[in-house]
Amino acid sequence: MKNKQFTRPIITGLAIGGVIAAFVWLNQPLDLPHFKPLDAVAQVESKDRQQKPSPQDLPDVNAAAFKGQGKLAFIWKGLLYHLDGSTGEVKQLTDTGMAAEPTWSYDGEWLAFLQITDQNMMTGPLWLVRQDGSQAHQVQGLPGTVRSGKFSWSPTANRLSVSTKDGLWLVPTEGEPQQFVQTPKQLVRTPGEYPSFSWSPDGKSLAYNVTLQAEEPWNMDDLLFTLAVDGGKPVKHLHTPDAGIMLAGWHNDGKGLLYWLIPVHSGSLAADGVGLWSLLLSEAEPKSLTSGLTYKGWQSISPQGKLLTVAGRGRIAWSEKSLTTVDIKTGKVQNLPNPSGSVALDPQFSPDGKRIAYVAARNLGSDVWGFKKSGDLSAWIASRTLYIANADGSNARAIPEAGKGIIQPIWSKDGSHILYVKDNVLWQMKADGGQPEKIFAPVVSGQEDHFGFYGFTSYESVLSWYRG
């Protein structure tokens, strides 16, 4: 999970001593969301991951339960594995190092991942390997290491885009990377600035942002561009005075973009929730949609062009969080009712867009900023319950068979099953109910940290499901 150490001091408020300290805090460089994936696990496993596990020291995988569900890449004790749902084979793909953030190519033939060398910044060399373990190689020719969350596969071809300190690169599975966008030095805010970026659904274009220099950091503007990957000139679509842009993605028809607008480029303001906007590429003015936290895992788009998102200000997950659907073309918003006394988290549309799965957890209120005892946190985790509802929020029902402590439910390709994490185990169950089946344990092979970033947790750094 992308999170900090489990043992965490009590957070009683955000009081900042002095006007100067407050000003600095509010104007941190914008680079959210960024929290350390598996930081605790990395430290626990540092002595274990330098040698190949013995046959008696292998991950506990239920291959039969995963039959017909695609391919699962997972990290266990720092090493990368592949579970093939067609053959039931579990293949180890790396022998040493600490692998993180496995990501499938569009056709399920390749995996990209990082070999972490700096646990504090979650950076390291970018590697590629075929799903059968062949052609494993470190990508050569990039300017330094790659940071967590800064690479992405094309949705239609076996090549990646990588965001670096000096712009964007295109990385093929064979051959040298090519610089796609070189950010002019006179436009770069700081040497450490990474542009956000997003592939178009057809894989023919990339959207990205650039930050303009200014005498004062709070006066910096952003520009939003698209550029065809096979050549052409950048097309500027938006200029945001005194505000940063963080791309959330494209409209599913490729005719527009979703982005968060970050006032005065403040990372701290972004951590408390900012506005989500939609821009049709054929229009000059964007539309304000809703407000929330900048987690892509809390955004889901249906085939019908509806956005499902967690709305609500404040960085704590256990307060003021509810589900909203938005027509991304018209901007029409529909707020979905929460189960009584609960917040709603981790939403996802079913593949046909007719149902949603999400987690409901106890609403602790905005006065709770942390937990004095680990048992208090465990009690809140235990309140996390799997719900399934119609796409408009109607007929919402809890799924008691799934148990408690549910994190990150994901639909299967045909919508018949849901995968989720509970008690550090990856489970699968039929979407209409039934007995859950264990797929893999432990998901984190060290002391699991449930706190996350103020209650937000994600397993994307250790699990990647290719649903076919």
Side-chain angles (χ1 to χ4, degrees):
M1 288 181 297
K2 299 183 177 182
N3 41 36
K4 307 278 188 182
Q5 295 287 346
F6 182 81
T7 304
R8 183 181 296 270
I10 307 167
I11 302 171
T12 58
L14 293 178
I16 307 291
V19 176
I20 296 177
F23 177 81
V24 172
W25 178 75
L26 285 171
N27 290 281
Q28 298 177 59
L30 170 62
D31 195 10
L32 287 176
H34 176 64
F35 37 93
K36 302 172 188 176
L38 292 173
D39 185 55
V41 180
Q43 296 178 33
V44 171
E45 297 176 355
S46 60
K47 296 181 180 179
D48 300 331
R49 62 177 181 265
Q50 297 303 325
Q51 58 184 9
K52 187 175 181 179
S54 66
Q56 295 78 28
D57 189 28
L58 293 173
D60 179 13
V61 177
N62 183 358
F66 194 69
K67 184 177 180 180
Q69 295 297 344
K71 303 174 183 181
L72 183 71
F74 62 92
I75 308 296
W76 189 75
K77 289 195 171 182
L79 304 180
L80 176 61
Y81 291 82
H82 165 217
L83 167 59
D84 191 323
S86 299
T87 65
E89 181 182 13
V90 179
K91 182 178 288 291
Q92 183 181 324
L93 303 181
T94 62
D95 291 327
T96 61
M98 190 185 84
E101 216 162 308
T103 308
W104 288 103
S105 62
Y106 84 104
D107 60 359
E109 287 299 312
W110 288 87
L111 279 162
F113 63 97
L114 297 180
Q115 283 282 17
I116 299 299
T117 55
D118 185 334
Q119 296 175 15
N120 290 324
M121 297 302 297
M122 288 308 298
T123 59
L126 179 65
W127 279 71
L128 299 176
V129 62
R130 279 194 176 275
Q131 55 92 23
D132 62 2
S134 64
Q135 298 187 44
H137 63 279
Q138 178 181 331
V139 174
Q140 303 293 325
L142 291 174
T145 56
V146 177
R147 189 168 177 174
S148 172
K150 300 302 181 182
F151 63 95
S152 176
W153 286 100
S154 162
T156 58
N158 285 333
R159 58 182 171 185
L160 298 108
S161 56
V162 180
S163 179
T164 69
K165 293 180 180 180
D166 60 353
L168 297 177
W169 294 71
L170 294 179
V171 177
T173 53
E174 298 180 8
E176 292 293 317
Q178 300 293 321
Q179 189 161 23
F180 176 64
V181 175
Q182 182 176 7
T183 306
K185 292 183 179 180
Q186 66 270 21
L187 298 183
V188 178
R189 182 178 82 188
T190 70
E193 179 73 11
Y194 293 78
S196 65
F197 66 94
S198 181
W199 286 96
S200 62
D202 60 8
K204 294 181 178 180
S205 299
L206 277 164
Y208 63 95
N209 70 296
V210 167
T211 301
L212 305 181
Q213 277 189 341
E215 292 184 3
E216 304 295 347
W218 56 88
N219 287 335
M220 295 180 297
D221 302 352
D222 267 24
L223 303 177
L224 179 61
F225 295 91
T226 57
L227 179 58
V229 295
D230 291 331
K233 294 183 178 181
V235 178
K236 186 178 76 172
H237 296 280
L238 195 63
H239 180 188
T240 57
D242 303 328
I245 292 171
M246 183 183 295
L247 281 161
W250 289 68
H251 294 192
N252 55 339
D253 61 5
K255 296 182 179 180
L257 294 164
L258 300 172
Y259 66 94
W260 290 284
L261 188 66
I262 318 296
V264 296
H265 288 80
S266 170
S268 294
L269 292 179
D272 282 319
V274 291
L276 181 65
W277 292 71
S278 172
L279 175 68
L280 287 173
L281 300 184
S282 60
E283 298 182 0
E285 295 298 324
K287 291 185 176 70
S288 175
L289 301 181
T290 185
S291 297
L293 301 180
T294 58
Y295 299 132
K296 291 186 178 180
W298 280 0
Q299 325 296 320
S300 179
I301 297 180
S302 73
Q304 295 81 14
K306 293 289 184 69
L307 169 70
L308 174 65
T309 184
V310 177
R313 299 275 186 170
R315 65 188 66 187
I316 50 178
W318 48 82
S319 176
E320 301 180 21
K321 301 297 179 290
S322 59
L323 302 186
T324 293
T325 60
V326 184
D327 186 313
I328 55 180
K329 290 184 179 179
T330 65
K332 183 180 179 181
V333 174
Q334 179 183 2
N335 297 316
L336 308 188
N338 286 1
S340 178
S342 298
V343 293
L345 314 167
D346 294 358
Q348 191 181 66
F349 272 119
S350 61
D352 62 6
K354 295 181 179 179
R355 293 182 291 174
I356 60 175
Y358 64 95
V359 169
R362 186 181 307 137
N363 186 345
L364 301 182
S366 57
D367 292 335
V368 177
W369 276 90
F371 300 90
K372 295 181 179 180
K373 301 175 182 178
S374 61
D376 295 338
L377 173 59
S378 298
W380 183 72
I381 293 294
S383 75
R384 297 178 63 117
T385 303
L386 177 63
Y387 272 74
I388 293 179
N390 295 332
D392 61 1
S394 64
N395 195 31
R397 55 191 177 90
I399 310 297
E401 301 95 324
K404 297 292 186 176
I406 308 300
I407 298 174
Q408 202 173 332
I410 305 174
W411 295 87
S412 63
K413 183 180 180 180
D414 62 2
S416 64
H417 290 75
I418 290 178
L419 258 66
Y420 59 91
V421 175
K422 178 180 75 74
D423 297 333
N424 204 17
V425 176
L426 181 67
W427 300 86
Q428 174 185 272
M429 69 176 298
K430 292 182 178 179
D432 295 328
Q435 186 66 29
E437 295 182 285
K438 181 176 71 174
I439 301 297
F440 164 58
V443 177
V444 175
S445 50
Q447 182 173 337
E448 190 182 18
D449 177 2
H450 288 293
F451 192 96
F453 189 78
Y454 292 92
F456 172 81
T457 53
S458 171
Y459 288 88
E460 292 180 355
S461 64
V462 293
L463 294 173
S464 183
W465 185 13
Y466 179 77
R467 294 177 286 181

